[in-house]
Amino acid sequence: MDRPETIPKLETYVPTRFMLPTSHYDEKKADRAVRFIENLKHTKGKWAGKPFWLFPWQEQVVRDVFGIVDENGKRQFRTAFVEIGKKNQIRFLVTVM
């Protein structure tokens, strides 16, 4: 299923400023995490059977957490603190991560 036009895609990814000098961005690992999440489907309610689509800010968080790795290829970030206002789909992001 193609992404609806009403849900924008992250245009350009810029790694977080918290990336250590000894770490690097692994696009393959980040793409894998994004693909995995966007292949999941809602199971209940009016969205049942429809895929999860990441909004740009959500994709940014996923790419930061899963794509930034140390020199051994291990994730730099193993936990993340994301603070956003109510009704901004944080529950969705927490569920899929």
Side-chain angles (χ1 to χ4, degrees):
M1 178 178 254
D2 291 333
R3 174 183 288 273
E5 290 181 18
T6 57
I7 301 176
K9 183 88 173 134
L10 180 67
E11 294 294 324
T12 306
Y13 172 73
V14 177
T16 178
R17 66 178 191 241
F18 300 110
M19 183 169 75
L20 296 174
T22 56
S23 295
H24 66 279
Y25 175 64
D26 187 328
E27 187 174 9
K28 217 171 165 180
K29 288 185 179 194
D31 286 346
R32 183 172 187 239
V34 169
R35 244 188 347 269
F36 175 80
I37 291 169
E38 291 189 341
N39 277 312
L40 296 173
K41 305 251 189 273
H42 291 272
T43 58
K44 296 180 180 177
K46 68 179 183 179
W47 300 104
K50 296 189 176 160
F52 286 105
W53 295 112
L54 293 170
F55 283 93
W57 72 268
Q58 294 169 322
E59 186 174 339
Q60 176 75 38
V61 171
V62 170
R63 288 186 178 281
D64 283 344
V65 171
F66 293 96
I68 296 178
V69 296
D70 62 18
E71 59 275 354
N72 298 320
K74 303 286 184 193
R75 288 186 1 220
Q76 176 184 320
F77 304 109
R78 290 179 179 64
T79 58
F81 177 80
V82 180
E83 185 175 0
I84 61 167
K86 289 183 176 182
K87 306 274 184 184
N88 282 308
Q89 301 162 350
I90 191 67
R91 184 173 293 154
F92 157 77
L93 185 62
V94 171
T95 301
V96 298
M97 287 182 74

